[in-house]
Amino acid sequence: MLEDFIHFVQKENLFQPDQKILIAVSGGIDSIVLSKLFSLAKFKFGIAHVNFSLRGEESLADEVFVKKFAKTLKVPYHTICFDTNAFAAQEKISTQMAARILRYQWFEEIRVKEGYDFIATGHHQLDSAETMLINLVRGTGIAGFHGIPVKSGNLIRPLSFASQDAIFDFVVAHKLAWREDSSNESNKYQRNFIRHEIMPKFQELNANFEQTLAATSSKIKGIEAWMQEELQAFISENSSIDAAGNITVKIPSLTPKSTVLLTELLLSYHFNSTSIEAILQSDKVGAIFESPSHSLNIDRGQWILTQKSQADYKPIVISEEDEVIQLGNQELHIFIEERTADWKAITDPNVACLDADTLDFPLEIRKVQDGDWFCPLGMNQKKLISDFLTDKKVPLAIKKNTQILLSKGSVAWILGQRIDNRNKVTDKTELVAVFELKSSLEKN
């Protein structure tokens, strides 16, 4: 399989041997195999793992497993945790769509920041076949019939040549371990339903159905490539991007060709078919349309697209070495000091003095969520943070944006409000961890 893998990379011109690739690794069998193949081929790569906070302890175990795997392969490791359910609820989309948008935006951030040339995913032949059927059910244009493209912009799928059987044989031959996602067994997800219920029926009719779809996809790929060339030419001629990343698109007269191109453009920014139809029909200056990832503002003869920030849905991680963390227009200053005989706690609500031994780094900061609780200083019983903030008559706008400091998932401090009783400084405390909120404009 290694020779087939290297040949496929060369044949499809996916990347050059001296380029650096970021591999998206969930811990599942496909991404583990892809990473091992990269290692055996001696390609340059790093591993990126996303914890979507959807499966509790199972998600945490996946994260630990991938981190150890990256260490075994001696490659760079990048990870992040998202509040996927909160993002899905905010944007009124499925958790699967929310996870897709969050992960690919983050992968691109890491690619640019760390100097990777491409992002590689573990999609293989069966994944592409399933995608074709999913797109057929949803309703699709030409693009939906090519399945998952082997290369699309900065995304590459080096396992597209491999069957599920070949991947499993490789795992057995190399004695590789992987993590099984329990949600893969649930037919409530459309892809799983197609995998477990629909694909076997087609395979009863055609034992090589997976390969047949792959061949069909290959034939359609040429048409799609031509259309993408047309789209890129349209984008080059009619759009621009400013220093802040805002995209301006000049709107031509709507012809059958321009309508198709504009539709494809809007699909790439995650607008659904209903929104696209409304956008194309609207000429109201100032009208705003939203997708999960972008806002579109109709101006005079043009659209202005602005990417939404996903910062609200990912925590800020604090390591033991961090001294200053940027929080919007505030800074969080962190330092450790000895508790001496004359030591006194600072009573300012913007300062938290915590027993350092009760904290387990890395710490996290995120916005408060429904169900979050803590034990307020001076109390030994739980209290919902939402109730605590209501009791303090905190305005709703501020309440929704309140941030919390967590240690191993437990709340240690409601920033600007109160610390948790379990983390307070006592007579037995030797080291005090001090967290101080300051305006970014303050002189240090």
Side-chain angles (χ1 to χ4, degrees):
M1 187 174 181
L2 178 60
E3 289 183 3
D4 291 339
F5 168 70
I6 294 173
H7 175 70
F8 184 75
V9 168
Q10 294 171 341
K11 180 173 73 74
E12 297 292 334
N13 192 28
L14 295 185
F15 58 89
Q16 298 304 310
D18 61 340
Q19 290 184 304
K20 192 166 69 164
I21 312 301
L22 180 66
I23 303 180
V25 180
S26 64
I29 186 171
D30 308 327
S31 56
I32 291 297
V33 166
L34 179 60
S35 301
K36 185 65 176 180
L37 286 167
F38 264 78
S39 180
L40 292 173
K42 295 183 169 37
F43 292 141
K44 299 175 183 177
F45 71 102
I47 282 175
H49 175 77
V50 180
N51 181 343
F52 292 108
S53 305
L54 294 173
R55 295 176 289 114
E57 292 297 324
E58 190 177 338
S59 293
L60 291 174
D62 289 348
E63 186 176 336
V64 171
F65 174 81
V66 176
K67 184 176 182 180
K68 289 181 178 178
F69 180 62
K71 189 175 182 179
T72 299
L73 296 181
K74 299 179 180 179
V75 296
Y77 172 71
H78 314 275
T79 188
I80 197 168
C81 177
F82 283 115
D83 186 348
T84 310
N85 282 329
F87 179 62
Q90 171 69 30
E91 299 299 331
K92 296 180 176 58
I93 55 177
S94 69
T95 53
Q96 286 185 310
M97 177 60 74
R100 174 182 172 80
I101 292 170
L102 289 170
R103 71 173 175 265
Y104 281 115
Q105 284 196 198
W106 179 68
F107 290 155
E108 180 61 13
E109 288 174 16
I110 295 299
R111 186 191 71 80
V112 173
K113 180 181 177 182
E114 301 295 335
Y116 290 97
D117 295 287
F118 294 100
I119 300 160
T121 67
H123 292 104
H124 53 78
Q125 207 172 73
L126 179 60
D127 290 319
S128 188
E130 292 167 351
T131 298
M132 291 177 72
L133 294 180
I134 289 171
N135 289 337
L136 183 63
V137 170
R138 290 175 178 168
T140 182
I142 293 174
F145 285 111
H146 65 39
I148 302 175
V150 174
K151 190 172 187 177
S152 177
N154 295 319
L155 277 173
I156 57 174
R157 281 92 179 189
L159 271 188
S160 296
F161 73 96
S163 68
Q164 202 170 31
D165 289 342
I167 288 171
F168 187 75
D169 289 344
F170 182 85
V171 163
V172 172
H174 290 269
K175 300 179 180 178
L176 296 175
W178 74 92
R179 293 279 299 171
E180 195 64 60
D181 185 340
S182 60
S183 66
N184 286 339
E185 300 304 314
S186 172
N187 280 349
K188 73 175 183 178
Y189 297 114
Q190 190 177 53
R191 182 175 291 276
N192 291 347
F193 179 77
I194 286 176
R195 177 174 297 174
H196 300 148
E197 302 293 334
I198 304 301
M199 286 293 290
K201 299 297 182 183
F202 278 110
Q203 287 165 340
E204 287 178 12
L205 297 172
N206 177 359
N208 297 315
F209 182 66
E210 187 178 326
Q211 290 77 18
T212 300
L213 280 182
T216 302
S217 170
S218 180
K219 293 173 184 176
I220 295 174
K221 195 188 305 181
I223 301 173
E224 167 65 6
W226 169 79
M227 191 171 74
Q228 284 300 315
E229 287 181 7
E230 291 288 315
L231 179 59
Q232 291 307 312
F234 173 83
I235 291 172
S236 297
E237 184 177 343
N238 294 281
S239 73
S240 61
I241 184 167
D242 63 21
N246 300 311
I247 301 162
T248 299
V249 182
K250 292 185 295 183
I251 307 305
S253 299
L254 290 184
T255 64
K257 179 178 178 179
S258 66
T259 299
V260 169
L261 293 174
L262 288 170
T263 298
E264 289 297 316
L265 177 67
L266 292 171
L267 284 171
S268 70
Y269 294 116
H270 304 108
F271 288 93
N272 59 34
S273 56
T274 302
S275 294
I276 291 172
E277 184 176 352
I279 292 168
L280 292 175
Q281 291 177 354
S282 177
D283 58 2
K284 182 181 178 182
V285 174
I288 296 176
F289 297 86
E290 304 278 350
S291 83
S293 60
H294 288 77
S295 295
L296 183 148
N297 185 5
I298 294 182
D299 200 0
R300 295 171 180 81
Q302 62 185 15
W303 296 335
I304 299 174
L305 286 149
T306 305
Q307 183 170 310
K308 295 178 179 178
S309 169
Q310 310 302 349
D312 289 350
Y313 306 100
K314 56 186 178 184
I316 296 168
V317 178
I318 303 174
S319 69
E320 288 186 88
E321 296 77 25
D322 288 328
E323 296 180 352
V324 180
I325 298 292
Q326 193 70 40
L327 301 174
N329 60 359
Q330 290 184 306
E331 292 177 347
L332 181 65
H333 292 251
I334 309 156
F335 58 93
I336 306 293
E337 63 182 23
E338 289 187 22
R339 181 183 171 276
T340 59
D342 59 349
W343 182 88
K344 290 184 179 180
I346 302 171
T347 57
D348 187 332
N350 288 319
V351 179
C353 298
L354 309 177
D355 186 329
D357 288 336
T358 65
L359 302 177
D360 192 349
F361 285 86
L363 308 178
E364 292 182 353
I365 291 177
R366 64 163 168 79
K367 283 188 178 181
V368 68
Q369 300 170 6
D370 290 342
D372 282 334
W373 60 269
F374 80 135
C375 296
L377 180 65
M379 296 175 58
N380 287 313
Q381 60 188 32
K382 297 179 181 179
K383 188 177 185 71
L384 286 173
I385 294 177
S386 58
D387 291 343
F388 171 80
L389 296 174
T390 298
D391 291 345
K392 291 200 68 180
K393 296 182 170 54
V394 175
L396 181 60
I398 297 176
K399 186 176 177 179
K400 287 168 59 178
N401 291 300
T402 297
Q403 294 179 303
I404 54 179
L405 175 73
L406 300 107
S407 172
K408 290 194 73 174
S410 294
V411 177
W413 179 34
I414 304 176
L415 275 65
Q417 297 290 344
R418 191 173 298 182
I419 68 169
D420 191 291
N421 197 60
R422 295 166 295 176
N423 302 98
K424 68 183 179 182
V425 175
T426 68
D427 292 341
K428 296 181 181 179
T429 300
E430 296 179 355
L431 294 175
V432 180
V434 181
F435 300 82
E436 182 176 5
L437 278 173
K438 294 183 180 181
S439 168
S440 298
L441 301 177
E442 289 182 34
K443 301 278 188 181
N444 295 328

